[in-house]
Amino acid sequence: MSPVREYYNPEIINLLREHDRLSHNNINERKSFQRRILFLMDTIKVQEFEESYI
């Protein structure tokens, strides 16, 4: 696993757990968690892509 994944994965896992605890009626909160998770996943991909060219 890349260092950037090791760094961000615990945070992503925590966000996923919090997201799963919310009821399905909390649509706005769930979407907020989803956006944060996607942002972190995109951050990982960008950093890994940049590192592949070093």
Side-chain angles (χ1 to χ4, degrees):
M1 187 179 314
S2 73
V4 70
R5 283 185 190 263
E6 288 181 14
Y7 181 80
Y8 286 113
N9 271 352
E11 181 63 26
I12 292 172
I13 291 169
N14 286 335
L15 289 171
L16 284 168
R17 286 183 180 145
E18 289 182 47
H19 173 269
D20 290 346
R21 283 189 209 120
L22 292 172
S23 73
H24 290 283
N25 295 336
N26 295 337
I27 295 169
N28 289 333
E29 286 183 70
R30 291 176 70 88
K31 284 187 178 189
S32 175
F33 276 100
Q34 291 168 1
R35 282 191 295 271
R36 292 192 298 181
I37 292 165
L38 287 173
F39 174 79
L40 290 174
M41 293 173 76
D42 284 342
T43 301
I44 290 171
K45 287 201 170 269
V46 167
Q47 287 186 2
E48 286 180 338
F49 181 75
E50 288 175 355
E51 290 174 0
S52 71
Y53 284 98
I54 295 178

